[in-house]
Amino acid sequence: LLEKMADVSLKEAALIVGVVAACYWNSLFCGFVFDDVSAILDNKDLHPSTPLKNLFQNDFWGTPMSEERSHKSYRPLTVLTFRLNYLFSELNAVSYHFLNLVFHVVVCVVFLKVCKLFLDNRSSVVASLLFAVHPIHTEAVTGVVGRAELLSSIFFLAAFLSYTKSKGPDNTIVWTPIAVTVFLVAVATLCKEQGITVVGICCVYEVFIAQGYTLPVLLDTAVQILQGKGSIPFSMLQTLLKLIVLMFSTLLLVVVRVQVIQSQLPVFTRFDNPAAVSPSPARQLTFNYLLPVNAWLLLNPSELCCDWTMGTIPLVESLLDVRNVATLTFFCFLGSLIVFSLRYPGDSSKTVLMALCLIVLPFIPASNLFFPVGFVVAERVLYVPSMGFCILVAHGWKKLSSKSVLRKISWMCLAVVLFTHALKTLHRNWDWESEYTLFMSALKVNKNNAKLWNNVGHALENEKNFERALQFFIQATQVQPDDIGAHMNVGRTYKNLNKTKEAEESYMIAKSLMPQIIPGKKYAARVAPNHLNVYINLANLIRANESRLEEADQLYRQAISMRPDFKQAYISRGELLLKMNKPLKAKEAYLRALELDRTNADLWYNLAIVYIELKDPTEALKNFNRALELNPTHKLALFNSALLMQESGDARLRPEAKQRLLYYVKEEPQDANGYFNLGMLAMDDKKDMEAEAWMKKAIRLQPNFRSALFNLALLYSQTGKELMALPVLEDLLRYYPDHTKGLILKGDILMNQKKDIVGAKMCFEKILELDPNNVQGKHNLCVVYFEERDLMKAEKCLVETLALAPHEEYIQRHLNIVRSKIASLSATEQSSLPADGTAAAEEKKNSFQNLKEVKNEQKTTQTTVDNNKGHSENKKRTEKNNMDKETPKKSTKEIKDIEKKRVAALKRLEEIERILNGE
């Protein structure tokens, strides 16, 4: 490129850089908006973990080209530049906008070089400056996805410049520039599809500029050859040879491109391009009217809009529509320019011809001429056509300024146009600051586009402003009553506002607008993929009602029947089947989804949850590990696989479990569950100080963390720090006054360590208020009565306790001891029965290893969020070991430790009984 820009002076390049910087500096403060969300934020092809080959297998938005929902926009080189941005700055929008600005500068400088082929130096600079500041370019430059236009334009212009060097001395053919041209055309096409149209410009240049033919000369030559009065001149044969090579290369590129899209055109809805599905003559009249609309945007870019779909431009349905006058005027003007440029020789006609080529040929792919496109008007596709427009304006300005009478006026007009365009561009950039500002600016221009109302609603929804979002969504349904997506948005927002009845009504309206079932009809070709989410969202809503689970399942199955490759339907149905306690069917659903996408970490995670339900922890762990292979930062897989390893009781898995939990807390530093489970692991490993530190960190993050508070108190009690356990238990019981085990532990400590009989008695009485049949609490209360020397009450209490637990031998023994004491009332001294000789000791026999609470909110399968963007959310379910349940599955060493404690406790009981018997 540097060699090609040799004729551009440093001063001219500096001027262009300065002007572009002055117009676009504020674009650096804009974020990712509109299509940037799909192409950048949601596109996994940007991530370093994604293989590079995926860029050449997926479309611009990261969807496999083989899938019908793909837009078939194949731009791997553009995505590669996004990936480089991500490599250096991840999702920092500044770097993406800065690179776009740089590319725009490069296009402007290369365009200046092209202009100098057809204009004088001054006019070339004027054309380049007008191109640099034109407001129509803000969508291509300030919108990050517009980079496809910028990159394609660079190689588009470079290919043309290369071709201009293919003519050697004496009209010989220089093949190297032609080969370079073909290569650059291929590269331009891999940046954006319209890059291939430069071949047409090269052909026109060869015939009418390089060879100097005019249309009358070509017609005369053709007539003479047909009449047999002459032969084809040698120079013309050479020209034909060059054109054949160019056309053959182009045909090859087209064949490859068709193979890439697998001979399938993208599926668009009637809302994207209403004219495309309209009957004649409305379709032809509207398509023709769109041409002057685009031309007017170049002439007067005062009212710009980011989205021209839906009802923005009403259909031209009659020949009597006044807008046909604009169409007729446009074609008359265009026709006169074409006749002038082709009929007459001279530099002026050549300049006009090349300007027209730059306007018309790159616009053809967006013109609906050969195939329908997914938009009505798109400002960014005017990026290359505006080059021809700028050449025309500069050429006209040159003609005017050459006349002494109009020279000053022409310079003043030029200054005003450049200044006002620059101001408009600078102001327009701020519209792209956020989605809210962008779509609100669009509504100022056009209020008949339901998509704009929806998008403002989405922006407010992202800010959790559901009430205002609802107003915009409802307005969208009024503007376009048959817009399925708008009704889905209303339903989702009602759900977010906890108005389930209204949400269901809106979803039902959306569902009624879906195509009706026709046997043998292929639904995939008629239904927009995101519209199928109405079944998912409605099913997700009604399955909250346990009595409507079958109805929800029917909706999932209906979505699958309409589109068998609808992956999200299988995922959501799998979760529902788990809820219906049908894990085997859930497994089938997830395996079917995995057939469609084996690289989805969420699916492997969901399958792991199914295997947990099927009581197959080994297979569950394998699937967790597969999820982590695909996505090493999958937080739920990290967390739940660590829990599974912890629960297995296999000491060999604990180091890996710890590493996963450490990684989890690094990713989720504010989640107390991660620190709590690290504490539980440390308790299992007998690392008391480490366990204490993790528990304290969990409590600092969540002061009312029930399980962390209890297990920290239990840890202190285990390690002989009973008095340190008391304030922790106070906190626990302040938050959870009905925590039975906390009351038992507190009473035990008060009885044995503080000798506070009254306090212990209050704890045990509180337990019995909550649960009159609690054996541990009642037995310990019997001990209190004995300590208070109320033997009759103690006896009655023990009798009642024995009735609750007739198989507990120690209760019977203690009752016998009390009755023995009652029988020997004449004894002068009575031994005491410490609380730890009763239920507390019996509790300790099992508690210090088995009393650990587990309160891990184990997250369950990934499901669809209730929106039509198709994003997913993480739902949670309580682990089977709930808050007050003992931790299952102990290792052999732990079981031996428990057995030792049990034996020790029994010995203590025997000693107490000997004391009570006066031995």
Side-chain angles (χ1 to χ4, degrees), residues 159-178:
F160 176 69
L161 285 172
S162 177
Y163 187 79
T164 60
K165 298 179 182 296
S166 65
K167 182 180 177 181
D170 300 323
N171 208 23
T172 56
I173 300 174
V174 183
W175 289 107
T176 302
I178 295 177

Side-chain angles (χ1 to χ4, degrees), residues 779 798 802 805-806 808-817 819:
H779 191 273
L798 284 167
L802 188 62
E808 293 291 351
E809 186 185 348
Y810 72 93
I811 300 175
Q812 181 63 61
R813 289 203 306 272
H814 295 170
L815 177 60
N816 292 339
I817 291 170
R819 283 175 173 170

Side-chain angles (χ1 to χ4, degrees), residues 726 729-730 733 736-752 754 756-772 774 776-782 784-785 788 835 840:
L726 275 178
L729 288 168
E730 292 291 349
L733 294 169
Y736 307 101
D738 58 348
H739 196 289
T740 304
K741 291 184 179 180
L743 288 165
I744 287 175
L745 187 56
K746 182 182 176 185
D748 178 43
I749 294 171
L750 290 175
M751 176 78 77
N752 293 293
K754 299 279 286 184
D756 182 358
I757 306 299
V758 176
K761 184 177 182 181
M762 289 173 64
C763 290
F764 302 140
E765 287 176 340
K766 174 69 174 176
I767 292 168
L768 293 179
E769 285 178 22
L770 298 168
D771 179 12
N774 188 289
Q776 296 173 343
K778 194 167 185 67
H779 191 273
N780 279 12
L781 185 60
C782 300
V784 172
Y785 294 150
E788 292 177 340

